[in-house]
Amino acid sequence: MYRKPYKKNFIINEVEKDFKKLTIPIIDIGDSIKMSILIQEGHKQRIQTVEGVIISKNKSQLNTTITIRKTLQNIGVERVYLIHSPLIQKIKIMRKAKVRRAKLYYLRSRSGKATRLKTKFN
């Protein structure tokens, strides 16, 4: 029995629709954001905030991820987050930057004031 290929995508989209978050702001590469993440330590839960610059974004429906880079004690730290994860409580955009690239991996080799991005004015 032959099935049409679009049928599979339709079923996947119907299942993913229940888990997608609708309150996510429009996030672009180069934005400085602040995220509130739910962290579980043993039996306790707490909310931790994470700040940083988005250096990459991978769009794929429910599995959309962003990579956030920040500097802690002169050491660059990058972490990948699932946008639609139930552990992410809130995303707030602090500053938008004017960038001309899809991935800002060149920030890895820079330090100090060289990592600043131009602010986008509307």
Side-chain angles (χ1 to χ4, degrees):
M1 185 171 131
Y2 178 74
R3 291 188 183 181
K4 295 180 182 177
Y6 69 86
K7 186 86 170 174
K8 179 180 174 186
N9 290 338
F10 177 75
I11 294 169
I12 291 171
N13 288 340
E14 287 297 313
V15 172
E16 286 183 353
K17 195 186 303 181
D18 299 334
F19 298 102
K20 257 190 178 174
K21 289 185 179 179
L22 302 174
T23 59
I24 296 174
I26 297 171
I27 299 171
D28 294 321
I29 308 300
D31 290 355
S32 296
I33 65 169
K34 184 185 277 188
M35 285 194 333
S36 300
I37 300 171
L38 192 68
I39 292 182
Q40 188 163 1
E41 295 174 336
H43 299 292
K44 295 181 183 177
Q45 289 184 343
R46 64 182 177 89
I47 294 177
Q48 180 176 344
T49 59
V50 176
E51 286 187 59
V53 178
I54 298 175
I55 63 168
S56 74
K57 185 176 181 180
N58 179 15
K59 287 180 135 183
S60 61
Q61 303 292 329
L62 191 66
N63 296 326
T64 301
T65 61
I66 57 171
T67 304
I68 296 180
R69 180 174 178 83
K70 61 182 172 179
T71 305
L72 293 172
Q73 299 175 355
N74 295 327
I75 297 173
V77 178
E78 291 181 11
R79 186 145 181 226
V80 179
Y81 293 99
L82 273 168
I83 291 294
H84 296 284
S85 170
L87 298 178
I88 294 179
Q89 302 293 315
K90 183 171 42 173
I91 298 175
K92 183 179 178 186
I93 298 173
M94 306 300 286
R95 184 172 51 241
K96 288 199 166 282
K98 179 181 173 186
V99 294
R100 298 169 69 178
R101 295 174 185 261
K103 311 285 186 200
L104 302 181
Y105 294 143
Y106 68 89
L107 292 177
R108 293 173 175 168
S109 61
R110 297 185 180 191
S111 63
K113 288 187 176 181
T115 60
R116 289 183 299 179
L117 299 169
K118 291 182 181 177
T119 306
K120 185 192 291 185
F121 296 107
N122 293 336

